[in-house]
Amino acid sequence: MKTILINGLVLTMEADWKPAYLDIVINDQRIEKVEQLSDDERKQYINQGYQCVDMANKVVMPGFVNTHGHAAMTLLRSYADDLPLQQWLEDKIWPFEAKLTADDIYWGTKLAIIEMLETGTTCFTDMYFEMEQVAKAVEEMGIRACLSRGMIGVAPNRDIALSESEQFISQWNQAAEGRITCTLGPHAPYTCPPDYLKKVVELANKLDVPIQIHVSETEKEVNDCKEMYGASPVKHLENIGLFSRPTIAAHCVHLDDNDIDIMHKHNVTISHNPSSNLKLASGIAPLKKYIDKGLTVGIGTDGCSSNNNLDMLEELKLASLIHKGNTYDPTLIPARKALEMATIEGAKALFLDEVIGSIAPGKQADIIAFSLDKSLYYPSFDITSLLVYSANSRDISDVFIAGKQIMKNRRLEFNKQEIFQQVQDRAQNIAKEIAATK
Amino acid sequence: MKTILINGLVLTMEADWKPAYLDIVINDQRIEKVEQLSDDERKQYINQGYQCVDMANKVVMPGFVNTHGHAAMTLLRSYADDLPLQQWLEDKIWPFEAKLTADDIYWGTKLAIIEMLETGTTCFTDMYFEMEQVAKAVEEMGIRACLSRGMIGVAPNRDIALSESEQFISQWNQAAEGRITCTLGPHAPYTCPPDYLKKVVELANKLDVPIQIHVSETEKEVNDCKEMYGASPVKHLENIGLFSRPTIAAHCVHLDDNDIDIMHKHNVTISHNPSSNLKLASGIAPLKKYIDKGLTVGIGTDGCSSNNNLDMLEELKLASLIHKGNTYDPTLIPARKALEMATIEGAKALFLDEVIGSIAPGKQADIIAFSLDKSLYYPSFDITSLLVYSANSRDISDVFIAGKQIMKNRRLEFNKQEIFQQVQDRAQNIAKEIAATK
């Protein structure tokens, strides 16, 4: 499909970006040109069969990149909140997850994708199980995703998880016309012993994929690791050789200066997940230090049990606000930086910045548009400030992924009611089964 | 007007509230009855001329009470962000505010009211100037408000501010069919010397109105007060006798244990404004201590320069999340408490809880409804959790204030485009004038 997007106010997220009226030429999956076209040029494109989409009065930017989550955890939304961590995990989350079937994962992921598309996310990251179902949902619904089968090195199925991961990656990496990329997903240093993590690194080398892993989410985890291995989780992972692979470290709430140096040395990237870190009472990450050091930081929503939505706009506002208040520095994470973290920095965090994350010739056409004709966008002095500090994700009107328009004036071509009902019924049945065994 | 709201899932916010299917009978401004009506009873009401509004598949609750703000600061939205505090105030906010005319305040307030109605706020608190304009906008648009003319005791117009306050209160307290209540609004201990605050207390006694004041918003302010008066702002205000009047203290980011005791002794109420406190880097209030002590805490958005919207749902989610993360306690400010803070506790904070804040016979019919048929409300295990952790204010479908339906399936009967344009033009002209003098 060939398309020109005209008359939009474009935030490219390329270096030194400034909001500017630019036209975007899309050829099949990719962006061909980004510049103001003359009337004649526009006509030529239209004569060549390009469809013309008018973005007048809309703000156009790259789609959001969600750098950490567990999509099918939508099934657990509002099932358990406001509980102490262990009680929440042991009494609620784990028993529920133990009952999830492949079909449940399929429908839960579809629900997540509906929500992500409607809130402007064009690429999401997932670490869960029954990943073929996730890949199937991604393929069907047109979104982009970076997928990994979560692996628990202390679980009975530890070796199966490795071989399933390999099989999954062989089948799905670069599938769905390149929209799916895969990584290996060892859960965390405290659930994967060193010998297991070494096998993961070997396999990552063999398959040539990055690794994503939860790192230093809680203080307890850091202290336990120090006690067990005499090193912080970051140092421990370096010792094991994990960082010889491109690595995405989720959370990183509790890194010390030495950890930060190690992260920098190996270009380990971070998914910052502020809602989840607050809701689970993990703490507030020292983001200023990460940014000052030049680490790459993307933004993630985490799963719907610890957030409880997948709204990247809420997440980037929170990321922008919380570190100001926590460090008494109102200049920290300015609006501009927050938008970058949710787009180009997120793409970098996933090692996909040559493919997505900004609006530039050669990149995939993953593009969203905002329609800002609501009270909360007046007066308009600074569009960047409005998007970060005032905006509501419902004003995202259009979503393009790999050049295809998936959402048009907020309309998606999916049977949403079927998905809602499937998820409601399945989740309720699981809850009933659990209640019956108590 | 007489109305019955039927079939809604109602969260009354009365003591021990539980979501329940209840019908609400509204007679003129007030709630007459809250119970499940039989078909016969419904018919009888309809025969008596009650209009019947079907709330099937909607969640019904009291409207939000916004306990702190400066409505017309909408005019400054996106004008200045991410700056050090003094630079932000001296170079940006104060020069802009100095140019605001009565008409500007009128239109800026109308814009704020549009946004508040659309996000479910039925009562807002205001401390600004040209308050007759604010009252006029409130009267015209049907919202409820608690208004004060801001008074700066170190300004040349300090005495005029007092007499204007008296005149404003004489004219507007209980006006607009009782929807307007007034308080006195001395700005803060650091802008109002003791002799001035004593005059304020005298006047408050004479007019029998509460006082609202900014208290301990920043650490600097607390330290300065200790240096100047040998007491914290709270102790200083107690010494002056200010707390002999019912007092609403906005912000309270930096209270120590002794301050908290004083607040408790005098039943001083708090407006907690988390977005503003984070964005201006004031800090994170020790809310757990306030709640453990039994202080009354409402939630406020503050003005649109330090937020930058008026969305109470965003604010209560933030209030619920931030203190969990900041104190490592995931049970703190559970969803239930957050909803109460935004409604009945807010009403208590404004000393209006006999009038508004819950759905109960005798109270004013200030009611909102949510339509929750979107992806982010599935599955539905716990409606309270969904409203706090997942919801989007765009799903607020209906707003009733003093028994009158102001918003109906998201439609307001105001000329929004005129208001948007007025604000855009006025704000831009002021910015141009300022730029021209530089």
Side-chain angles (χ1 to χ4, degrees), chain A residues 74-79 81-85 96 111 114-116 118 219 253-254 274-275 277-284 304 307-309 311 314-315 317-318 320-336 373-383 385-386 389-395 410 416-417 420-421 423-424 427-428 431, chain B residues 74-79 81-85 96 111 114-116 118 219 253-254 274-275 277-284 304 307-309 311 314-315 317-318 320-336 373-383 385-386 389-395 410 416-417 420-421 423-424 427-428 431:
Chain A
T74 47
L75 287 151
L76 288 89
R77 179 165 18 221
S78 81
Y79 177 62
D81 303 283
D82 305 320
L83 294 172
L85 187 67
F96 196 107
L111 184 72
I114 292 285
E115 189 182 339
M116 289 191 280
E118 288 186 336
E219 251 181 351
V253 181
H254 301 280
S275 286
N277 297 159
L278 292 175
K279 183 155 183 281
L280 301 184
S282 307
I284 300 173
C304 270
N307 189 314
N308 299 351
N309 64 36
D311 190 331
E314 273 191 17
E315 212 61 28
K317 179 173 181 178
L318 186 56
S320 182
L321 290 183
I322 191 171
H323 304 290
K324 290 177 168 72
N326 197 40
T327 62
Y328 297 91
D329 179 357
T331 69
L332 196 60
I333 324 281
R336 184 180 179 87
D373 197 29
K374 289 282 195 316
S375 59
L376 65 165
Y377 306 109
Y378 290 92
S380 174
F381 286 113
D382 180 338
I383 200 70
S385 160
L386 289 175
Y389 296 123
S390 306
N392 188 303
S393 58
R394 294 294 168 82
D395 298 318
R410 290 209 65 72
K416 288 199 277 187
Q417 289 303 327
F420 297 171
Q421 202 56 56
V423 169
Q424 181 68 34
Q428 226 153 28
Chain B
T74 48
L75 287 151
L76 288 89
R77 179 163 21 218
S78 81
Y79 177 62
D81 302 284
D82 304 321
L83 294 172
L85 187 66
F96 196 107
L111 184 73
I114 293 284
E115 189 183 339
M116 290 191 280
E118 289 186 336
E219 250 181 351
V253 181
H254 301 281
S275 286
N277 297 160
L278 292 175
K279 184 152 182 283
L280 302 183
S282 308
I284 300 173
C304 271
N307 191 314
N308 299 350
N309 64 35
D311 190 330
E314 274 191 17
E315 211 62 27
K317 179 172 182 178
L318 187 56
S320 182
L321 290 183
I322 191 170
H323 304 290
K324 291 176 168 71
N326 196 40
T327 62
Y328 297 90
D329 180 357
T331 69
L332 196 59
I333 325 278
R336 182 180 180 87
D373 196 30
K374 290 282 195 314
S375 59
L376 66 165
Y377 306 109
Y378 290 92
S380 174
F381 286 113
D382 180 339
I383 200 70
S385 160
L386 289 175
Y389 296 123
S390 305
N392 188 304
S393 59
R394 292 294 169 83
D395 298 319
R410 289 209 66 71
K416 289 200 277 188
Q417 289 303 326
F420 297 171
Q421 202 55 56
V423 168
Q424 182 69 32
Q428 227 154 27

Side-chain angles (χ1 to χ4, degrees), chain B residues 292-305:
Chain B
D292 286 352
K293 186 74 186 182
L295 300 185
T296 298
V297 182
I299 295 180
T301 57
D302 208 350
C304 271
S305 248

Side-chain angles (χ1 to χ4, degrees), chain A residues 138-372:
Chain A
V138 168
E139 187 172 48
E140 287 173 20
M141 297 178 79
I143 200 167
R144 189 182 304 279
C146 176
L147 306 180
S148 65
R149 188 221 195 281
M151 300 184 283
I152 311 276
V154 294
N157 72 347
R158 50 180 269 156
D159 294 322
I160 296 170
L162 276 169
S163 59
E164 281 185 4
S165 282
E166 181 167 5
Q167 199 187 333
F168 174 70
I169 292 172
S170 309
Q171 189 181 345
W172 287 100
N173 200 20
Q174 298 300 334
E177 300 169 304
R179 285 185 284 106
I180 293 176
T181 53
C182 297
T183 72
L184 282 170
H187 174 264
Y190 64 92
T191 52
C192 297
D195 69 307
Y196 193 73
L197 288 174
K198 284 179 187 163
K199 284 187 190 169
V200 171
V201 174
E202 265 174 46
L203 186 56
N205 277 324
K206 178 178 166 192
L207 301 172
D208 193 20
V209 293
I211 291 170
Q212 59 175 308
I213 184 166
H214 298 83
V215 177
S216 299
E217 182 174 359
T218 66
E219 251 181 351
K220 179 179 185 310
E221 174 195 337
V222 174
N223 293 336
D224 288 353
C225 188
K226 284 180 179 169
E227 205 163 290
M228 200 158 198
Y229 301 112
S232 71
V234 168
K235 180 67 189 156
H236 172 64
L237 291 174
E238 185 191 39
N239 290 344
I240 287 168
L242 194 101
F243 297 152
S244 64
R245 295 299 314 166
T247 303
I248 306 144
H251 299 298
C252 297
V253 181
H254 301 280
L255 303 192
D256 63 23
D257 290 347
N258 191 41
D259 291 336
I260 296 171
D261 286 342
I262 294 170
M263 300 281 285
H264 183 252
K265 182 174 155 199
H266 300 282
N267 188 28
V268 180
T269 67
I270 293 175
S271 177
H272 175 49
N273 315 310
S275 286
S276 171
N277 297 159
L278 292 175
K279 183 155 183 281
L280 301 184
S282 307
I284 300 173
L287 216 67
K288 180 175 164 47
K289 288 187 175 185
Y290 303 168
I291 288 169
D292 286 352
K293 186 73 184 184
L295 301 185
T296 298
V297 182
I299 295 180
T301 57
D302 209 348
C304 270
S305 248
S306 52
N307 189 314
N308 299 351
N309 64 36
L310 303 169
D311 190 331
M312 280 289 286
L313 209 52
E314 273 191 17
E315 212 61 28
L316 70 90
K317 179 173 181 178
L318 186 56
S320 182
L321 290 183
I322 191 171
H323 304 290
K324 290 177 168 72
N326 197 40
T327 62
Y328 297 91
D329 179 357
T331 69
L332 196 60
I333 324 281
R336 184 180 179 87
K337 177 73 182 175
L339 279 188
E340 289 169 354
M341 284 166 65
T343 55
I344 184 65
E345 294 293 311
K348 270 188 206 160
L350 302 183
F351 308 101
L352 290 174
D353 52 308
E354 289 186 6
V355 184
I356 56 168
S358 65
I359 297 180
K363 285 207 177 176
Q364 291 279 307
D366 288 11
I367 294 169
I368 62 175
F370 285 80
S371 174
L372 303 186

Side-chain angles (χ1 to χ4, degrees), chain A residues 36-51:
Chain A
Q36 224 172 359
L37 301 175
S38 67
D39 284 350
D40 275 356
E41 287 170 316
R42 287 177 178 179
K43 274 180 203 156
Q44 281 170 23
Y45 278 112
I46 291 165
N47 289 339
Q48 288 167 39
Y50 283 71
Q51 71 157 331

